[in-house]
Amino acid sequence: ALTFLDGIGLERKAARLRYLRRRWMDAVSDVRGVRFYTARDDRQAGALATMSLEGMGANDLTEALQERYAIHVRPRFVDGEWEGIRVTPNVFTTLEEVDTFAKAVREIAAGG
């Protein structure tokens, strides 16, 4: 991992991670019931983002993504104020994988 980081550099790695986050966030931003808890501004966020889907708890959304699409995310709960899932692509995450995640969120939101 350190050899890879030395090869691409920290700025290119950070840019890649921000790009992946923006890609999936943009792809689901128009989905009814999707709410983001992470700033979309690149100066405030890297790869990690948290979102929720209205009417579906974090555990249920996590389970649906894992069981139906083999997508691993983590549920997050903040002092009863909100709950959502943490989505954290890796620098090696492909665009196809990001797009599959976005498609899965869209299908689940549509009742699928």
Side-chain angles (χ1 to χ4, degrees), residues 31 53 56 60-61 63-65 67-69 103-112:
V31 174
L53 188 56
M56 187 171 228
D60 291 337
L61 184 51
E63 186 176 305
L65 288 166
E67 289 182 7
R68 297 185 210 168
Y69 303 93
K103 181 180 179 202
V105 169
R106 295 182 81 80
E107 288 176 1
I108 291 168

Side-chain angles (χ1 to χ4, degrees), residues 12-93:
R12 284 180 59 206
K13 178 181 178 183
R16 167 79 176 165
L17 294 172
R18 287 189 300 269
Y19 173 75
L20 294 173
R21 175 188 43 81
R22 280 192 316 269
R23 185 177 178 103
W24 76 259
M25 288 178 84
D26 289 347
V28 301
S29 65
D30 66 335
V31 174
R32 184 181 174 125
V34 166
R35 181 170 181 194
F36 299 114
Y37 298 98
T38 302
R40 295 179 71 166
D41 183 346
D42 285 346
R43 295 171 293 174
Q44 298 179 37
L48 185 143
T50 305
M51 64 154 285
S52 64
L53 188 56
E54 185 179 325
M56 187 171 228
N59 285 330
D60 291 337
L61 184 51
T62 298
E63 186 176 305
L65 288 166
Q66 180 66 51
E67 289 182 7
R68 297 185 210 168
Y69 303 93
I71 295 172
H72 180 76
V73 296
R74 298 294 302 156
R76 288 291 175 246
F77 305 92
V78 176
D79 298 326
E81 287 186 38
W82 61 268
E83 62 180 87
I85 59 168
R86 183 186 76 187
V87 181
T88 314
N90 184 291
V91 71
F92 301 111
T93 301

